[in-house]
Amino acid sequence: MVIVMRPNTQKKEIEKIRRKMESLGCSIHASQGESFYLLGLVGDTSKIDPDQIKANRNVEKLIFVQEPYKKVNRLFQPLDSVISVRDQSVGGKKLAIMAGPCSVESEEQIITIAEQIKESGASFLRGGAFKPRTSPYSFQGLKEDGLELLKLAREKTGLPIVTELMSAEYVEKFVEDVDVIQIGARNMQNFDLLKEVGKTNIPILLKRGMSATIEELLMAAEYIMSEGNEKVILCERGVRTFEQYTRNTLDLSAIPVIKKLSHLPVIVDPSHAGGLWWLVEPLAKAAIAVGADGLMIEVHNDPANAKCDGQQSITPERFKSLMDTLKAIANIENREL
Amino acid sequence: MVIVMRPNTQKKEIEKIRRKMESLGCSIHASQGESFYLLGLVGDTSKIDPDQIKANRNVEKLIFVQEPYKKVNRLFQPLDSVISVRDQSVGGKKLAIMAGPCSVESEEQIITIAEQIKESGASFLRGGAFKPRTSPYSFQGLKEDGLELLKLAREKTGLPIVTELMSAEYVEKFVEDVDVIQIGARNMQNFDLLKEVGKTNIPILLKRGMSATIEELLMAAEYIMSEGNEKVILCERGVRTFEQYTRNTLDLSAIPVIKKLSHLPVIVDPSHAGGLWWLVEPLAKAAIAVGADGLMIEVHNDPANAKCDGQQSITPERFKSLMDTLKAIANIENREL
Amino acid sequence: MVIVMRPNTQKKEIEKIRRKMESLGCSIHASQGESFYLLGLVGDTSKIDPDQIKANRNVEKLIFVQEPYKKVNRLFQPLDSVISVRDQSVGGKKLAIMAGPCSVESEEQIITIAEQIKESGASFLRGGAFKPRTSPYSFQGLKEDGLELLKLAREKTGLPIVTELMSAEYVEKFVEDVDVIQIGARNMQNFDLLKEVGKTNIPILLKRGMSATIEELLMAAEYIMSEGNEKVILCERGVRTFEQYTRNTLDLSAIPVIKKLSHLPVIVDPSHAGGLWWLVEPLAKAAIAVGADGLMIEVHNDPANAKCDGQQSITPERFKSLMDTLKAIANIENREL
Amino acid sequence: MVIVMRPNTQKKEIEKIRRKMESLGCSIHASQGESFYLLGLVGDTSKIDPDQIKANRNVEKLIFVQEPYKKVNRLFQPLDSVISVRDQSVGGKKLAIMAGPCSVESEEQIITIAEQIKESGASFLRGGAFKPRTSPYSFQGLKEDGLELLKLAREKTGLPIVTELMSAEYVEKFVEDVDVIQIGARNMQNFDLLKEVGKTNIPILLKRGMSATIEELLMAAEYIMSEGNEKVILCERGVRTFEQYTRNTLDLSAIPVIKKLSHLPVIVDPSHAGGLWWLVEPLAKAAIAVGADGLMIEVHNDPANAKCDGQQSITPERFKSLMDTLKAIANIENREL
């Protein structure tokens, strides 16, 4: 951390800050630049609250050298994390493909789709039981009944199930019922929820918020890990920009960047990113080519009558042919599907 | 709602959609344009889920004529809503000035500040007890103890208290203890929380999410109102953009736009918008000039030692002189402070 | 085009607009919705200036059904355009790989690099002679001398040359000297420059502006084509967002979207997008997987001493190995390199 | 400037960079942090090209302490610049109000409007002769004839004229004919044009690009000033964000920020920012309250028939009443109109 003092700050004010930092356990390297006086902090700066330094009216700016996260930081854990889920895993050589409908609608629907995607090579079943919707008048999911249907589908196919948790109230139930708890983009900074799932020991799929920086996504993962749960899977699903043709702008650069900064696995959701079914295939291929550890894809057997997100769901047939292409791309990168 | 069909869609496919729409109670005005076939829906389109229409592969795009919100819509309630809070109100001729520290730190701190801001003319006391922080290692607020201190300050000064609720778990306690429940920017689309506060009858201060459109803010208010609670106060606090000098970019255009679209009162938070104490005063003045119904301002008696947000807090002395200027601007607009 | 009238607009005002539209050659389909009165315009709306309609105070909003561009529109030219450049082409089965240094620095430098990239399979040589730089104090390029060196390199290798034109003053010289004129992101809406290159018959590489929507990029291409030059190659190079880790956010969704909306070829520049050399390879692979018609890559034989953009240039050795991987991905998509 | 080396960089590599920096005239303060090795550069760093440092593969990141601009920097010129234009000025106690139509359409139109705005207290006449339009099929302005009409209007009213220059080709003509040359948002980084107007000695009104940071705006001003022309007036006119209700998002925080960083005067254009006539008045008031040195407002005597931007133009009558309110707000801030 480097503190830049305002020009013409009095010596005694600089002395005050210097002593305060030293009292917090840091040693100081001071240097007088052309126009600014700098205080470089050496030592464990993790106990220092940057807000408090910036609050000092003599401080021009504060410059961070080290990233603010620890447990997610690759610097302190150089090897890739691999998260085991039943007999599957996320983060290793094999890519994790999570597929299924936006929302669970009926026993027949979820079992049919589960069987189809399994046959095509998917390793996880996704499906919403509790649905976050922009409008209070839209379908909100089958809730507990949806969870039961997901369990039935798991029984039939053996596929581990991934579904979104929206409220701390249901944490215990989810821990019992599901294999991976998804935290949606809108709740990425619902810190109370992050802490609650951090106290469980079940894998958490954490989606990047629509306007979250990569650093904020990693800090949200840090919230979960700091409570003890180290099984975190990250997911890029598009960020909000000025471009309106697509629902969001998929940020594929985030994949190699996250891989550099963190040891956690990261997958891509091409369905929510573009919001258009015909974008799912090209974006899925690009995601594998860029180095993602897996995908989350919306598949529906009757998109035109889906209760939600039909416009961004692909059919089981298209999913099957997509999987073949993905396999070929994965092989080039020495990975498996 | 206008449905635009893809070029070369077969007649029978168009017929199918037409019949489906009619079965949902709409009448159809069809017209063949130069390249596209259009279906205009007339009638109550509120039961129609736009996702389902867009899911149809023959639909090129869907165009909305009417806004998707009802209870917040000025079209259906032309008069300004005025929200009463104890002996104060938000939305009428008198501007509502909410001031206080980022977080409650001690009895002495909160009471001193409350008395000072009251003397300067503030009408509400704000102060955080539960704090959403980007880092799990930062100060998270005094929690229940903070609420108790806020109540003490209210007793001393008579100022109604405004504080942030982060989790549904505490709704009942907040209903008992506080006068206005704040929903923070990061929870603007925490739909479960919105529904919970929608079931209370206490005023809700709803902050715009960092990347929420004005329409999404109004839809979030609709969530609260659709559960029965009509006492919603909106708050603009800056949106996320590419500009990094300021923490967020305050969107003052949103004030007249919201006033046009909705009858709900709307205030501005200049402290969080800029994130810099020396921006608070010019932005507060601009907010009143643009027509806001009030302000939420962070005031701290010792910013350099504040437990959070010291860099964006102003001192009680500056607050006092700011209030004088604000009064003069308010008078020009025929409003009071 | 659909005109939505404000609620309670007087009949005579509606009549006025209707007659005005009819006088411009459109026929009108009117319909009275729940709250709004709609006027649907049928016929050639291209002569209607939308600004003038929106300027009418009784108009609530204006809704576009048809895209505003014509010559770039796939609707009117369903087949992919293939742009020939000497013995190469852009837009067909074979991918166009343009590689070379950010700026031409010396005869030895440009010829060495040109020979190396040619050997690895590049089909075009890129290199800046006139450089747009954020700071007036940075290296501005070798200018005319740079053009001469590019021509020497072309002579040696046979590779067609691509270089940026920044000012109308040099159009004639570029037409004589170079094979593809590049219009940079910052000049995408320099309409005078677009018109000037539109009057030539040399291929134009048009880069997407940092904050340009896909529609605006296509409108900029329309500027060039409307002057008679139909040889336009589009280039996605990242857009500006709130994310600061990367220089820009590469928008790969734009590739399939542009392919749907337009018949023009589109390539990707992974070097400028991320601004970091270690992002070039994963993003290049993703670009081919998503369906781009080619790439523009910065290659430098001594990045640490490059006069510009060394941080985002890769070495000829890495370029060679990247080309092998790209070839494999291209083959999966039934394309060649 | 602080150079952060990658962890585990070899000593000899660090030594190499250190010597290179010293050879460029800097002295170095090195310090070994917890994980990173830092090199602080002291001295005149203006000759160092940051790109070249970042290009070094052993450099983790580069941190800037000092702003990259000089001539626009308030650090080196603490007093506010006041730009004189005929008998008017921009930047002093008196606010500069520039008003007039989007484009000059006829002698009668421009003279009528000029007389009306003068009577209401405007001090400059704005009007477009050369118009940048998104579509090549829209009205492009009266060009040279437009300039002649502006001169006529100046003769009649004495108001200095402000109009946009789009191409270096017309610089000389503009120097002869107009009083302030406007560089539009789309040309803010048309560096060749900036250099050309930098060689004149006529005041330049430089508009912020749609996606330009404040720093980039100041760097564009630096381009003009570095060529010798110190008469630069900055203009905030809204930036591009995800919000689509307004054309752009007016960034009023930029005003106090620019005032802190630079000595140059800065005005606000509320017409282009919102793109809606009913937003002009509230935003104009906010702009004065926030501390702008003036305004640029589109006024048209018949907006519904304006050749461009009618939807964001206000009538002379509204302009007159707005001026009265602006005067009252200006007085509170101890400024005049």
Side-chain angles (χ1 to χ4, degrees):
Chain A
M1 217 180 271
V2 179
I3 303 175
V4 182
M5 303 302 297
R6 308 190 71 174
N8 308 320
T9 301
Q10 287 183 299
K11 273 200 179 157
K12 65 172 187 183
E13 294 296 332
I14 292 175
E15 230 11 76
K16 237 192 256 175
I17 289 193
R18 174 198 273 273
R19 276 197 304 270
K20 191 171 172 181
M21 293 303 115
E22 285 172 348
S23 77
L24 290 165
C26 295
S27 63
I28 307 290
H29 283 222
S31 71
Q32 173 66 53
E34 197 81 343
S35 322
F36 296 102
Y37 190 86
L38 308 188
L39 293 166
L41 274 53
V42 180
D44 179 8
T45 56
S46 67
K47 292 157 220 151
I48 297 175
D49 186 340
D51 277 6
Q52 287 193 21
I53 300 177
K54 282 191 273 180
N56 188 306
R57 264 53 169 166
N58 295 305
V59 170
E60 178 76 21
K61 54 182 165 183
L62 191 60
I63 289 166
F64 296 93
V65 174
Q66 188 136 346
E67 310 300 347
Y69 39 82
K70 288 161 215 279
K71 288 176 179 288
V72 308
N73 200 330
R74 191 179 279 277
L75 199 60
F76 309 126
Q77 182 184 321
L79 292 183
D80 284 352
S81 283
V82 179
I83 316 286
S84 293
V85 189
R86 295 192 162 230
D87 59 339
Q88 299 290 338
S89 64
V90 187
K93 192 179 179 186
K94 192 180 170 215
L95 299 174
I97 309 294
M98 308 176 180
C102 164
S103 72
V104 183
E105 296 171 16
S106 71
E107 183 176 335
E108 199 204 327
Q109 176 239 25
I110 192 69
I111 287 176
T112 309
I113 297 176
E115 285 172 341
Q116 289 174 307
I117 59 158
K118 190 191 177 181
E119 212 183 286
S120 305
S123 36
F124 293 79
L125 174 64
R126 61 143 289 155
F130 296 81
K131 299 295 310 170
R133 305 302 300 275
T134 308
S135 164
Y137 310 119
S138 299
F139 174 61
Q140 311 271 321
L142 292 183
K143 302 181 182 172
E144 284 93 336
D145 293 346
L147 292 182
E148 291 310 310
L149 297 177
L150 281 170
K151 283 156 70 180
L152 269 182
R154 176 175 59 194
E155 228 171 81
K156 285 267 186 185
T157 59
L159 293 175
I161 52 182
V162 187
T163 195
E164 179 167 353
L165 172 69
M166 287 172 64
S167 164
E169 188 188 343
Y170 289 98
V171 171
E172 275 179 55
K173 183 153 186 49
F174 270 61
V175 168
E176 265 175 50
D177 286 358
V178 313
D179 303 302
V180 177
I181 293 179
Q182 176 180 323
I183 301 293
R186 287 178 186 80
N187 280 317
M188 193 202 86
Q189 290 193 321
N190 180 341
F191 299 120
D192 277 33
L193 191 57
L194 297 179
K195 284 181 194 166
E196 287 306 316
V197 299
K199 288 172 194 151
T200 73
N201 67 350
I202 196 175
I204 308 300
L205 177 68
L206 178 65
K207 289 190 136 187
R208 181 179 183 185
M210 240 177 333
S211 66
T213 60
I214 293 170
E215 184 172 302
E216 285 168 342
L217 171 61
L218 295 178
M219 285 307 282
E222 185 84 14
Y223 253 97
I224 298 169
M225 294 181 80
S226 71
E227 295 288 335
N229 186 350
E230 307 219 325
K231 299 178 192 155
V232 182
I233 304 158
L234 303 173
C235 180
E236 161 63 33
R237 43 77 74 209
V239 293
R240 184 157 267 185
T241 70
F242 61 84
E243 176 59 63
Q244 304 291 305
Y245 193 93
T246 45
R247 186 196 265 195
N248 292 286
T249 299
L250 185 62
D251 178 12
L252 284 180
S253 317
I255 306 305
V257 170
I258 288 172
K259 290 252 157 245
K260 181 176 193 287
L261 300 175
S262 176
H263 52 86
L264 294 175
V266 54
I267 67 168
V268 169
D269 174 348
S271 309
H272 282 86
L276 295 162
W277 64 271
W278 50 272
L279 282 175
V280 172
E281 291 170 58
L283 293 179
K285 291 187 261 178
I288 298 307
V290 95
D293 293 306
L295 295 167
M296 175 167 246
I297 296 182
E298 290 192 344
V299 176
H300 198 285
N301 50 355
D302 184 10
N305 292 303
K307 290 222 166 165
C308 68
D309 281 356
Q311 81 284 0
Q312 69 193 35
S313 299
I314 59 173
T315 59
E317 293 72 35
R318 292 193 84 103
F319 179 69
K320 189 178 161 59
S321 78
L322 171 61
M323 286 294 279
D324 292 339
T325 312
L326 295 180
K327 216 166 288 183
I329 299 178
N331 289 343
I332 293 173
E333 296 294 321
N334 202 23
R335 298 192 79 164
E336 290 163 11
L337 209 87
Chain B
M1 220 182 265
V2 179
I3 302 174
V4 183
M5 304 302 297
R6 305 190 73 174
N8 308 320
T9 302
Q10 287 183 300
K11 271 201 181 156
K12 66 171 188 183
E13 293 296 332
I14 293 175
E15 230 10 76
K16 236 192 257 175
I17 289 194
R18 176 199 273 272
R19 276 198 304 269
K20 190 171 173 182
M21 293 302 115
E22 285 172 347
S23 78
L24 290 166
C26 295
S27 63
I28 308 291
H29 283 222
S31 71
Q32 174 66 55
E34 198 80 341
S35 322
F36 296 102
Y37 190 86
L38 308 189
L39 293 166
L41 273 54
V42 181
D44 179 9
T45 57
S46 67
K47 290 158 222 150
I48 297 174
D49 186 340
D51 276 6
Q52 288 193 20
I53 300 177
K54 282 190 274 180
N56 188 305
R57 266 50 168 168
N58 295 304
V59 169
E60 177 76 21
K61 55 181 162 182
L62 191 61
I63 289 166
F64 296 92
V65 174
Q66 188 138 344
E67 310 300 345
Y69 38 82
K70 289 160 215 276
K71 288 176 178 287
V72 308
N73 200 330
R74 191 179 278 279
L75 200 61
F76 309 127
Q77 181 184 323
L79 292 183
D80 284 352
S81 283
V82 180
I83 316 287
S84 293
V85 188
R86 293 192 162 227
D87 58 339
Q88 298 291 339
S89 64
V90 187
K93 192 179 178 183
K94 194 182 168 213
L95 299 174
I97 308 296
M98 307 175 179
C102 165
S103 71
V104 182
E105 296 171 17
S106 70
E107 182 176 335
E108 198 204 327
Q109 175 238 26
I110 193 68
I111 288 177
T112 308
I113 297 176
E115 286 173 339
Q116 288 174 308
I117 59 159
K118 191 192 176 180
E119 211 183 288
S120 304
S123 37
F124 292 80
L125 174 64
R126 64 142 288 155
F130 296 82
K131 298 297 309 169
R133 304 302 300 276
T134 308
S135 166
Y137 309 120
S138 298
F139 173 60
Q140 310 270 323
L142 293 183
K143 301 182 182 171
E144 285 94 336
D145 293 345
L147 291 183
E148 291 310 311
L149 296 178
L150 282 170
K151 282 156 70 180
L152 268 182
R154 176 174 61 193
E155 228 172 81
K156 284 268 187 184
T157 59
L159 293 175
I161 53 184
V162 187
T163 195
E164 179 167 354
L165 172 70
M166 286 172 64
S167 165
E169 186 188 344
Y170 289 98
V171 171
E172 274 179 55
K173 181 150 188 53
F174 270 61
V175 168
E176 264 175 49
D177 286 358
V178 314
D179 302 301
V180 178
I181 293 177
Q182 176 179 323
I183 300 294
R186 287 178 187 79
N187 280 316
M188 193 202 84
Q189 290 194 320
N190 180 342
F191 299 121
D192 277 32
L193 191 57
L194 297 179
K195 284 181 194 165
E196 287 306 316
V197 300
K199 288 172 194 151
T200 72
N201 68 350
I202 197 174
I204 308 300
L205 177 69
L206 178 66
K207 289 191 137 187
R208 182 179 183 182
M210 240 176 332
S211 67
T213 61
I214 292 169
E215 185 172 301
E216 286 168 341
L217 171 62
L218 295 177
M219 285 308 281
E222 186 84 14
Y223 253 97
I224 297 170
M225 293 181 82
S226 72
E227 294 288 337
N229 186 352
E230 308 218 325
K231 299 178 192 154
V232 182
I233 303 158
L234 305 172
C235 181
E236 160 64 31
R237 44 76 77 209
V239 294
R240 184 157 268 185
T241 70
F242 61 84
E243 176 59 62
Q244 304 291 307
Y245 193 94
T246 46
R247 185 195 267 195
N248 292 285
T249 299
L250 185 63
D251 179 11
L252 284 180
S253 316
I255 307 304
V257 170
I258 289 173
K259 291 250 155 243
K260 181 176 193 287
L261 299 175
S262 175
H263 52 85
L264 294 175
V266 55
I267 68 168
V268 169
D269 175 347
S271 308
H272 282 84
L276 295 163
W277 64 271
W278 50 271
L279 281 175
V280 173
E281 292 172 59
L283 293 179
K285 291 188 259 177
I288 298 307
V290 94
D293 293 308
L295 294 167
M296 176 167 245
I297 296 181
E298 290 193 343
V299 176
H300 199 286
N301 49 356
D302 183 12
N305 291 303
K307 290 220 167 168
C308 69
D309 281 358
Q311 80 284 2
Q312 69 193 34
S313 300
I314 57 172
T315 59
E317 292 71 37
R318 293 191 84 102
F319 179 69
K320 189 178 161 62
S321 77
L322 171 61
M323 286 294 277
D324 291 338
T325 313
L326 295 180
K327 215 165 287 180
I329 298 177
N331 288 344
I332 293 172
E333 296 294 319
N334 202 23
R335 297 192 79 164
E336 289 163 11
L337 208 89
Chain C
M1 219 181 270
V2 179
I3 302 174
V4 182
M5 304 301 298
R6 306 191 71 174
N8 308 318
T9 301
Q10 286 183 302
K11 273 199 180 157
K12 63 171 189 185
E13 293 296 331
I14 293 175
E15 231 8 77
K16 238 191 256 173
I17 289 193
R18 176 198 272 271
R19 277 197 304 270
K20 190 170 172 183
M21 294 302 115
E22 285 172 348
S23 76
L24 291 165
C26 295
S27 64
I28 308 289
H29 282 224
S31 73
Q32 173 66 54
E34 198 80 341
S35 322
F36 296 102
Y37 191 86
L38 308 188
L39 293 166
L41 274 55
V42 181
D44 180 7
T45 56
S46 67
K47 290 159 222 151
I48 297 176
D49 185 338
D51 277 6
Q52 287 192 22
I53 299 177
K54 283 191 273 181
N56 187 305
R57 265 51 168 167
N58 295 304
V59 169
E60 178 75 21
K61 53 182 164 183
L62 191 61
I63 289 166
F64 296 91
V65 174
Q66 189 137 345
E67 310 301 347
Y69 38 82
K70 288 161 215 279
K71 287 176 179 288
V72 308
N73 200 330
R74 190 178 279 276
L75 199 61
F76 310 126
Q77 180 184 323
L79 291 183
D80 284 352
S81 283
V82 179
I83 316 287
S84 293
V85 188
R86 293 190 162 230
D87 59 340
Q88 298 291 338
S89 64
V90 188
K93 193 179 178 185
K94 193 180 169 215
L95 299 174
I97 309 295
M98 307 176 178
C102 165
S103 71
V104 182
E105 297 170 16
S106 70
E107 181 176 335
E108 198 205 328
Q109 175 237 29
I110 193 68
I111 288 176
T112 309
I113 297 176
E115 285 173 341
Q116 288 174 307
I117 60 159
K118 191 191 177 183
E119 212 183 285
S120 304
S123 36
F124 292 80
L125 174 64
R126 63 143 287 154
F130 295 81
K131 298 297 309 171
R133 305 301 302 273
T134 309
S135 165
Y137 310 119
S138 299
F139 174 61
Q140 312 270 323
L142 293 183
K143 301 180 182 173
E144 283 94 336
D145 293 345
L147 291 182
E148 291 309 311
L149 297 178
L150 283 170
K151 283 156 70 180
L152 269 182
R154 177 175 59 194
E155 228 171 81
K156 285 268 185 182
T157 60
L159 293 176
I161 52 183
V162 186
T163 194
E164 179 167 353
L165 172 69
M166 287 172 64
S167 165
E169 186 188 344
Y170 289 98
V171 171
E172 275 178 55
K173 179 150 190 53
F174 271 60
V175 168
E176 265 175 50
D177 286 357
V178 314
D179 303 301
V180 178
I181 293 179
Q182 176 180 320
I183 301 293
R186 288 178 186 78
N187 279 318
M188 192 202 85
Q189 291 195 318
N190 180 341
F191 299 121
D192 278 33
L193 190 57
L194 297 179
K195 285 181 194 167
E196 287 307 315
V197 299
K199 287 172 195 150
T200 74
N201 68 350
I202 196 175
I204 309 299
L205 177 69
L206 178 65
K207 289 192 137 187
R208 181 180 183 183
M210 237 176 335
S211 67
T213 61
I214 293 169
E215 184 172 303
E216 286 168 343
L217 171 62
L218 296 177
M219 286 307 284
E222 186 84 15
Y223 253 97
I224 297 169
M225 295 181 80
S226 72
E227 295 288 336
N229 186 350
E230 308 218 325
K231 300 178 191 154
V232 181
I233 304 159
L234 304 173
C235 180
E236 161 64 31
R237 42 77 75 209
V239 293
R240 184 156 266 186
T241 70
F242 61 85
E243 177 59 63
Q244 303 291 306
Y245 193 94
T246 45
R247 186 196 266 196
N248 293 284
T249 299
L250 185 63
D251 179 12
L252 284 180
S253 316
I255 306 306
V257 170
I258 288 171
K259 291 251 155 242
K260 182 177 193 285
L261 300 175
S262 176
H263 52 85
L264 295 174
V266 55
I267 68 169
V268 169
D269 174 347
S271 309
H272 282 84
L276 294 162
W277 64 271
W278 50 272
L279 281 175
V280 173
E281 292 171 59
L283 293 179
K285 292 188 259 176
I288 298 308
V290 94
D293 293 308
L295 293 167
M296 175 167 246
I297 296 182
E298 290 192 345
V299 176
H300 198 285
N301 49 356
D302 184 9
N305 292 304
K307 290 221 169 166
C308 68
D309 282 356
Q311 81 284 2
Q312 68 192 33
S313 299
I314 58 173
T315 59
E317 293 72 34
R318 294 194 83 103
F319 178 69
K320 188 178 163 60
S321 78
L322 171 60
M323 286 293 277
D324 291 338
T325 313
L326 295 180
K327 216 166 288 181
I329 298 178
N331 289 344
I332 293 173
E333 296 294 320
N334 201 22
R335 299 191 79 163
E336 290 162 8
L337 208 88
Chain D
M1 220 181 271
V2 179
I3 302 175
V4 182
M5 303 302 297
R6 306 191 73 174
N8 308 320
T9 301
Q10 287 183 300
K11 273 201 179 155
K12 64 171 189 186
E13 293 297 331
I14 292 175
E15 229 10 75
K16 235 191 257 174
I17 289 194
R18 176 199 271 273
R19 277 197 303 270
K20 190 170 174 185
M21 292 304 115
E22 285 172 347
S23 77
L24 290 165
C26 294
S27 63
I28 308 289
H29 283 221
S31 71
Q32 173 66 54
E34 198 80 343
S35 323
F36 297 102
Y37 190 85
L38 308 188
L39 293 166
L41 274 54
V42 180
D44 180 8
T45 57
S46 67
K47 290 157 222 151
I48 298 174
D49 186 340
D51 277 6
Q52 287 193 20
I53 300 177
K54 283 190 274 181
N56 188 304
R57 265 52 167 164
N58 294 305
V59 170
E60 177 75 22
K61 53 182 165 183
L62 191 60
I63 289 167
F64 296 92
V65 174
Q66 189 139 343
E67 310 300 345
Y69 38 81
K70 288 160 215 278
K71 287 177 179 288
V72 308
N73 201 331
R74 189 179 280 277
L75 200 60
F76 309 126
Q77 181 184 324
L79 292 183
D80 284 352
S81 283
V82 179
I83 316 287
S84 292
V85 189
R86 294 192 163 231
D87 58 339
Q88 298 290 338
S89 64
V90 188
K93 192 178 178 185
K94 194 183 169 214
L95 300 174
I97 309 295
M98 307 176 178
C102 166
S103 72
V104 182
E105 297 170 15
S106 71
E107 181 175 337
E108 198 204 329
Q109 176 239 26
I110 194 67
I111 287 176
T112 308
I113 297 176
E115 286 173 339
Q116 288 174 308
I117 59 158
K118 189 191 178 182
E119 211 184 287
S120 304
S123 36
F124 292 79
L125 174 65
R126 62 143 288 154
F130 295 81
K131 298 297 309 170
R133 304 303 300 274
T134 308
S135 165
Y137 310 119
S138 299
F139 173 62
Q140 311 268 324
L142 293 182
K143 300 180 180 171
E144 285 93 334
D145 293 346
L147 291 182
E148 291 309 310
L149 296 178
L150 281 170
K151 283 157 70 180
L152 269 183
R154 177 175 58 194
E155 226 172 81
K156 283 268 186 183
T157 59
L159 293 176
I161 53 183
V162 187
T163 195
E164 179 167 353
L165 172 69
M166 287 172 64
S167 164
E169 185 188 346
Y170 290 99
V171 171
E172 273 179 56
K173 179 148 189 55
F174 270 61
V175 168
E176 266 176 48
D177 286 359
V178 313
D179 302 301
V180 179
I181 293 180
Q182 177 180 322
I183 300 294
R186 286 177 186 80
N187 279 318
M188 192 203 85
Q189 291 194 320
N190 180 340
F191 299 121
D192 277 33
L193 190 57
L194 297 179
K195 284 181 195 165
E196 287 306 316
V197 299
K199 288 172 195 151
T200 73
N201 68 351
I202 196 175
I204 308 300
L205 178 68
L206 179 65
K207 288 190 139 189
R208 182 179 181 182
M210 241 178 330
S211 66
T213 60
I214 293 169
E215 184 171 303
E216 286 168 342
L217 171 61
L218 295 178
M219 285 307 283
E222 186 84 15
Y223 254 97
I224 298 169
M225 293 180 81
S226 72
E227 294 288 336
N229 186 351
E230 308 218 326
K231 298 179 192 155
V232 181
I233 304 159
L234 304 172
C235 180
E236 159 64 33
R237 45 75 77 208
V239 294
R240 183 156 269 186
T241 70
F242 61 85
E243 176 60 62
Q244 304 290 306
Y245 194 94
T246 46
R247 185 194 267 195
N248 292 286
T249 298
L250 185 63
D251 179 11
L252 284 181
S253 316
I255 307 305
V257 170
I258 289 172
K259 291 250 156 244
K260 181 175 193 287
L261 299 175
S262 175
H263 52 85
L264 295 175
V266 55
I267 68 168
V268 169
D269 175 347
S271 308
H272 282 84
L276 295 162
W277 64 271
W278 50 272
L279 281 175
V280 173
E281 292 170 59
L283 293 179
K285 291 188 260 177
I288 298 307
V290 94
D293 292 308
L295 294 167
M296 175 167 247
I297 296 181
E298 290 192 344
V299 175
H300 199 285
N301 50 354
D302 183 11
N305 291 304
K307 291 220 166 166
C308 70
D309 281 356
Q311 81 283 1
Q312 68 193 33
S313 299
I314 58 173
T315 59
E317 293 72 34
R318 293 193 84 103
F319 178 68
K320 188 179 163 58
S321 77
L322 171 60
M323 287 292 277
D324 291 338
T325 312
L326 295 180
K327 215 165 287 180
I329 298 177
N331 289 343
I332 292 173
E333 297 294 319
N334 201 22
R335 299 191 79 163
E336 289 163 10
L337 207 88

